Amino acid sequence: MRKNLWWIVGVFLLLSVVIISWKPANAIKSNLLNNKTAKAFTPKELFAQYVADIYNTANLQQSGMDLSVFQKAFTGYMNLKLTNKLRSVNYLTVVDFTKSSRTKRMWIIDLMNKSLVLNTWVAHGQGSGDDMANRFSNNNESHQSSLGFYLTDDVYFGKHGRSLRLDGLEAGVNSAARARGIVIHAADYVCQNTINQIGRLGRSFGCPAVSPELSNQIIDTIKGGSLLYINGNDSHYLSKLLDETVPSGVLTPDTTNLASKMAKL
């Protein structure tokens, strides 16, 4: 029987089980206990409040991120965390290719401290478009970016220097990332000077390329199994990781067992 994601997150919040941080969970518990209308909140509303709390505390709106994009990224994060797919849980990286390449459309969020670590430029693939990315592919030699959820992996030195390997988590969407050589790497064309000269960033062969000045900081922060989500305008993209259901095997009918399981995540 399928269980709703909002239900488990609601239980998670009400039980004050720590998934990301200690203080935020305690603060949520205190607010709920002191609020006489707390029982009127649905699990979905509780989840929305939790997402909004991180979004507002980290000042993501001021940095240009849309709340709906952050909620999608965080929903995928929760689904993957609940099934122990993440090796590093502190950081969530979001790239929003619905925005112009002239804008700083990459964010690294420290979920434990509810803070924005970095907001910077990121390039898309040549085959995806000029200033705006509007075509996406999982095919080799397409030179297009791929949407969806990725796990970061190890660091290596390649033709672009120090780079970070990525593993796409979605079959047919980004699963060929490793075979295509889709990595995070530095590129000289990711800078204000390029925008001034040609009116947009330069473009990659499909990699989310970043500024040379920030590449080491980005790589060192998110390497080793953290989550990257790339958002874009594509009506064909339907991700199971955005499904509002809890992966099988997480829930039990006994809330005591549930609390024990959640405490180990």
Side-chain angles (χ1 to χ4, degrees):
M1 180 177 178
R2 294 163 69 86
K3 300 291 185 177
N4 196 289
L5 174 60
W6 310 124
W7 187 89
I8 190 174
V9 176
V11 173
F12 153 60
L13 292 174
L14 290 170
L15 292 176
S16 299
V17 178
V18 177
I19 284 183
I20 297 173
S21 59
W22 294 275
K23 292 182 180 180
N26 290 334
I28 291 171
K29 176 181 177 181
S30 177
N31 290 337
L32 290 174
L33 291 177
N34 292 329
N35 189 341
K36 294 181 179 179
T37 64
K39 291 183 179 179
F41 293 143
T42 67
K44 185 173 181 178
E45 289 170 336
L46 287 171
F47 179 76
Q49 288 182 9
Y50 193 64
V51 170
D53 179 50
I54 299 174
Y55 181 81
N56 292 327
T57 303
N59 296 315
L60 297 181
Q61 182 178 23
Q62 290 86 332
S63 68
M65 182 189 285
D66 296 334
L67 175 59
S68 61
V69 173
F70 178 66
Q71 181 155 335
K72 287 193 289 186
F74 191 75
T75 299
Y77 169 89
M78 285 293 297
N79 272 305
L80 289 163
K81 190 176 192 308
L82 290 170
T83 49
N84 297 314
K85 298 292 178 63
L86 302 178
R87 302 196 307 275
S88 176
V89 299
N90 289 353
Y91 299 102
L92 173 60
T93 305
V94 182
V95 171
D96 188 2
F97 280 151
T98 67
K99 296 183 179 295
S100 162
S101 70
R102 300 187 304 273
T103 66
K104 294 183 176 181
R105 53 185 181 173
M106 179 184 204
W107 297 262
I108 299 176
I109 303 132
D110 181 341
L111 296 175
M112 178 173 289
N113 294 304
K114 299 184 181 180
S115 63
L116 178 61
V117 176
L118 190 66
N119 174 214
T120 188
W121 294 294
V122 60
H124 58 256
Q126 293 177 3
S128 289
D130 294 330
D131 178 44
M132 300 291 297
N134 48 39
R135 297 182 298 276
F136 306 96
S137 175
N138 194 37
N139 296 330
N140 195 24
E141 303 302 330
S142 68
H143 294 176
Q144 294 182 16
S145 298
S146 300
L147 300 179
F149 291 92
Y150 298 77
L151 281 183
T152 65
D153 196 20
D154 62 314
V155 179
Y156 74 102
F157 286 85
K159 62 182 180 180
H160 298 293
R162 191 166 184 261
S163 305
L164 177 62
R165 289 190 175 95
L166 301 173
D167 287 314
L169 300 178
E170 303 186 69
V173 177
N174 58 23
S175 53
R178 180 68 72 116
R180 293 178 62 199
I182 302 301
V183 301
I184 292 178
H185 65 79
D188 291 337
Y189 51 74
V190 182
C191 64
Q192 185 64 56
N193 187 48
T194 301
I195 295 173
N196 294 341
Q197 289 181 0
I198 66 174
R200 57 168 172 78
L201 287 184
R203 297 164 300 164
S204 68
F205 278 6
C207 297
V210 297
S211 164
E213 288 75 20
L214 295 174
S215 62
N216 282 332
Q217 179 186 354
I218 292 169
I219 289 170
D220 289 336
T221 301
I222 69 174
K223 65 183 179 182
S226 71
L227 188 63
L228 163 68
Y229 173 63
I230 298 181
N231 183 63
N233 286 323
D234 187 347
S235 59
H236 299 292
Y237 173 65
L238 298 172
S239 175
K240 293 181 180 179
L241 293 172
L242 296 177
D243 192 356
E244 298 174 4
T245 57
V246 174
S248 61
V250 176
L251 289 177
T252 70
D254 184 349
T255 56
T256 302
N257 290 340
L258 173 62
S260 177
K261 278 177 176 267
M262 297 292 287
K264 295 177 181 178
L265 295 177

